[in-house]
């Protein structure tokens, strides 16, 4: 199953311009991997990579980084804005990743996992990960507090008002709360060390 809500070229261009770049989270993920299995930083796969700004953040830490997405327009935007020699992009469903079992050190899905066929994706990510590899599912929620100088509170209020208006139009596939979906994915993983 693929939610094809991100396909247009204009959508991909807006993504490239405005999506968040979770730099701090990526550093945290890599340092947590480093504590568990130092020096195993060969291949990272960023699933549902969109226009690739999160994918690029992985480049300094891995020999090879592959961003994957179902949308050709998003991948075109990602490729056009990347000149990093160790980063490439591939079109494929998140539920059928073109990697050998145990080949991947890190699988990320940045603001993407909730859109996927979640049980199949988790199973597929688990298949491609090496023993002790890392699956990192990043996202933000609509009840976030924004930070921006001394207008943080006002911005948070505006954002809340904006989301309150949009909420009735939310995709029914996601249900009322993504937090719940992430909690379910978290519970479904039987790894001994989950955070
Ligand atoms: C909300 S966007 C996130 C993009 C990017 N990771 C970011 O943080 O900006 C979700 C992405 O998942 C992709 N997607 C949705 N369903 C998919 C599937 N089944 N397999 C692969 N990609 C999928 C969409 O094309 C889209 O680019």
């Amino acid at each position: 199953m693929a939610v094809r809500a991100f396909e247009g070229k204009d959508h991909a261009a807006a993504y490239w311009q405005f999506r968040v770049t979770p730099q701090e989270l990526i550093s945290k993920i890599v340092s947590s991997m480093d504590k568990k299995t130092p020096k195993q930083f060969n291949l990272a796969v960023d699933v549902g990579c969109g226009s690739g700004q999160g994918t690029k953040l992985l480049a300094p830490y891995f020999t090879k980084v592959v961003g994957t997405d179902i949308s050709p327009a998003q991948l075109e935007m990602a490729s056009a804005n990347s000149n990093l020699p160790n980063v490439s992009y591939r079109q494929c469903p998140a539920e059928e990743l073109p990697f050998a079992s145990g080949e991947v050190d890190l699988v990320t899905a940045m603001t993407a996992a909730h859109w996927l066929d979640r049980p199949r994706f988790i199973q597929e990510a688990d298949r491609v990960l090496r023993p002790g590899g890392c699956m990192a599912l990043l996202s933000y929620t609509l009840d976030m507090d924004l930070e921006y100088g001394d207008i943080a509170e006002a911005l948070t209020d505006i954002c809340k008002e904006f989301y309150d208006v949009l909420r009735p139009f939310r995709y029914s596939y996601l249900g009322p709360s993504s937090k719940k979906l992430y909690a379910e994915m978290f519970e479904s993983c039987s790894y001994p060390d989950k955070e």
Side-chain angles (χ1 to χ4, degrees):
M1 180 267 168
V3 177
R4 312 211 60 141
F6 309 91
E7 301 284 324
K9 281 186 190 272
D10 291 351
H11 197 127
Y15 255 51
W16 170 250
Q17 204 176 349
F18 297 116
R19 293 296 289 178
V20 290
T21 46
Q23 178 78 62
E24 207 179 318
L25 269 175
I26 297 293
S27 320
K28 279 189 181 170
I29 290 161
V30 172
S31 69
S32 137
M33 286 179 74
D34 203 22
K35 276 183 211 137
K36 285 172 193 159
T37 46
K39 299 201 182 100
Q40 297 223 25
F41 288 87
N42 186 36
L43 175 59
V45 175
D46 181 29
V47 173
C49 65
S51 47
Q53 48 278 70
T55 319
K56 287 167 75 167
L57 299 178
L58 298 165
Y61 307 105
F62 292 85
T63 312
K64 192 172 156 192
V65 178
V66 183
T68 70
D69 203 285
I70 201 82
S71 158
Q74 293 284 4
L75 291 169
E76 209 175 293
M77 189 56 60
S79 298
N81 287 291
S82 171
N83 54 2
L84 298 165
N86 62 337
V87 177
S88 60
Y89 294 95
R90 289 186 75 159
Q91 190 193 359
C92 65
E95 301 81 2
E96 291 165 42
L97 297 171
F99 302 98
S101 300
E103 186 188 4
V104 180
D105 299 293
L106 170 67
V107 173
T108 53
M110 308 189 200
T111 334
H114 49 282
W115 292 110
L116 308 177
D117 179 333
R118 295 178 289 272
R120 283 185 59 216
F121 162 64
I122 298 281
Q123 201 175 14
E124 183 64 346
D126 182 60
R127 179 187 70 76
V128 299
L129 279 172
R130 66 164 162 79
C134 178
M135 186 192 309
L137 309 182
L138 286 56
S139 199
Y140 54 80
T141 61
L142 301 189
D143 56 357
M144 62 191 156
D145 285 332
L146 296 169
E147 288 177 20
Y148 198 79
D150 58 1
I151 58 165
E153 207 174 313
L155 271 182
T156 301
D157 287 346
I158 291 167
C159 203
K160 188 177 171 323
E161 194 181 331
F162 167 77
Y163 279 131
D164 283 347
V165 174
L166 289 184
R167 198 168 276 114
F169 304 98
R170 195 175 148 89
Y171 267 76
S172 58
Y173 180 66
L174 300 179
S177 156
S178 303
K179 254 187 195 169
K180 186 168 170 280
L181 307 180
Y182 280 85
E184 283 167 8
M185 287 187 274
F186 185 79
E187 289 309 321
S188 75
C189 292
S190 57
Y191 302 132
D193 52 351
K194 304 195 280 187
E195 290 180 43

